[in-house]
Amino acid sequence: MFNSLSDRLTATFKNLRGKGRLSEADIDATVREIRRALLDADVAVPVVREFTAAVRERALGAEVSGALNPAQQVVKIVNAELVEILGGQTRTLQLAKTPPTVIMLAGLQGAGKTTLAGKLALALKEQGHTPLLVAADLQRPNAVTQLAVVAERAGVPVFAPHPGNTSSADGETDTIIGDPVGVARDGVAEARSKQHDVVIVDTAGRLGVDRLLMQQAADIRAAITPDEVLFVIDAMIGQDAVTTAQAFLDGVDFTGVVLSKLDGDARGGAALSVAKITGRPIMFASTGEKLTDFEVFHPDRMASRILD
Ligand code: GDP
């Protein structure tokens, strides 16, 4: 990821090498190049606008310092702005004062929620926690089985619904089997009674944002009052990241973002837009299909990687 953006920015900075002092025209030309590189990487337009305005202002106001040449100074400014749009500080999970910590996962179908549930459970287990996974995605027949497989790989238990009770939805979506809100609530109760200190609730996603799905996620949220709601987003979705993230923010609200499929060749727009647009921090990154392909997201390290 970010290869093309990285190359473009590096080339832009190279043009500044050897310059003694940057004129306003140099700065404007540089900012134009940065703007084009960000837009080509699918970064959302309002984010690009704010980013380039901030870089321009800081570059114009930068003191000529003995320690850094102008090119290095611009790199430093761009780095600081990248850290800023990526959310600034690293943000880790807020654990509940009284266990269990309830974590709900939300996002479109295929975003990587179920995989993430296993990754998070494994990471928490390795830190000494005792997570329980809850299968409240009853939309796809396979989802419960898939979560059970992931739970087994992570070596953690799973709470799944009993088959049999069905209810139908309106014409907008497929029939929902069972009661996802009830399953989520029962799962959290199970975690409490069996003394699991963390409970991770997987919820249904559809291929596109849909009203019923959003209502279901909002109902689950209301029923289990999670400590964290993690919105999982596929980094490959490019410009759609903004509308999808906004729809989940309005429909469910979330406390943090997980970027999945960062191992792919996405241009990076989703990663660079979502924290700024939603005002929610990116907390984790998913970097592959294995349960260990998972890391805490550090805005400063990601910025350095882009500018490397
Ligand atoms: P869900 O529908 O949101 O629960 O998504 P899944 O967890 O089922 O993931 C959808 C597909 O993406 C599966 O084939 C996963 O193996 C794959 N996947 C999930 N996370 C990653 C990731 O970080 N990198 C890659 N390359 N594939 C992933």
Side-chain angles (χ1 to χ4, degrees):
M1 227 187 50
F2 291 125
N3 290 346
S4 159
L5 176 63
S6 220
D7 292 349
R8 294 270 298 271
L9 292 177
T10 311
T12 304
F13 301 142
K14 224 180 230 165
N15 289 337
L16 297 175
R17 278 208 204 130
K19 287 197 189 275
R21 198 198 156 95
L22 298 188
S23 64
E24 191 165 344
D26 290 328
I27 291 172
D28 282 340
T30 304
V31 165
R32 258 198 312 276
E33 283 300 309
I34 295 173
R35 176 182 297 125
R36 281 197 208 111
L38 292 171
L39 289 172
D40 287 348
D42 278 343
V43 181
V45 173
V47 176
V48 174
R49 202 175 291 136
E50 208 175 307
F51 185 93
T52 47
V55 169
R56 183 174 190 278
E57 190 180 326
R58 286 174 76 167
L60 285 172
E63 296 284 320
V64 182
S65 109
L68 297 178
N69 65 37
Q72 289 167 330
Q73 221 157 25
V74 171
V75 173
K76 192 174 158 205
I77 290 168
V78 171
N79 183 74
E81 287 301 322
L82 278 176
V83 174
E84 170 76 26
I85 64 164
L86 288 168
Q89 302 282 330
T90 301
R91 171 66 156 91
T92 47
L93 281 176
Q94 297 285 319
L95 296 177
K97 286 197 188 76
T98 318
T101 297
V102 179
I103 302 170
M104 172 177 164
L105 308 182
L108 295 181
Q109 184 178 318
K113 289 181 299 301
T114 305
T115 312
L116 175 81
K119 290 176 175 183
L120 198 54
L122 179 63
L124 287 165
K125 186 182 134 190
E126 284 174 349
Q127 290 167 23
H129 294 286
T130 53
L132 174 70
L133 292 179
V134 175
D137 175 356
L138 310 187
Q139 202 82 19
R140 278 187 305 131
N142 247 340
V144 174
T145 319
Q146 197 192 336
L147 190 71
V149 169
V150 160
E152 195 179 340
R153 277 164 60 203
V156 301
V158 62
F159 179 87
H162 301 291
N165 42 338
T166 58
S167 66
S168 54
D170 66 17
E172 195 177 315
T173 186
D174 303 330
T175 301
I176 296 172
I177 309 295
D179 166 20
V181 179
V183 169
R185 196 188 289 118
D186 292 351
V188 173
E190 169 95 351
R192 197 163 283 128
S193 75
K194 300 256 173 83
Q195 297 184 358
H196 292 279
D197 68 346
V198 183
V199 51
I200 300 168
V201 181
D202 191 19
T203 68
R206 294 186 65 79
L207 291 173
V209 172
D210 121 346
R211 190 182 53 79
L212 201 70
L213 153 79
M214 215 49 96
Q215 189 56 49
Q216 184 188 100
D219 290 346
I220 292 175
R221 184 183 181 140
I224 62 175
T225 54
D227 300 283
E228 298 276 14
V229 180
L230 301 182
F231 168 62
V232 184
I233 186 161
D234 180 341
M236 308 286 283
I237 78 170
Q239 289 284 359
D240 284 347
V242 170
T243 38
T244 307
Q246 193 63 53
F248 275 88
L249 191 69
D250 296 342
V252 194
D253 199 1
F254 47 85
T255 56
V257 177
V258 179
L259 286 174
S260 71
K261 310 189 193 178
L262 275 194
D263 51 312
D265 57 359
R267 286 180 282 187
L272 287 175
S273 308
V274 146
K276 186 79 192 167
I277 292 276
T278 63
R280 301 291 183 271
I282 302 171
M283 293 172 61
F284 300 104
S286 239
T287 55
E289 297 195 59
K290 292 202 301 289
L291 291 190
T292 46
D293 295 333
F294 171 72
E295 54 195 56
V296 171
F297 185 85
H298 299 287
D300 53 346
R301 288 188 210 165
M302 183 56 88
S304 306
R305 222 160 87 188
I306 295 169
L307 296 181
D308 203 8

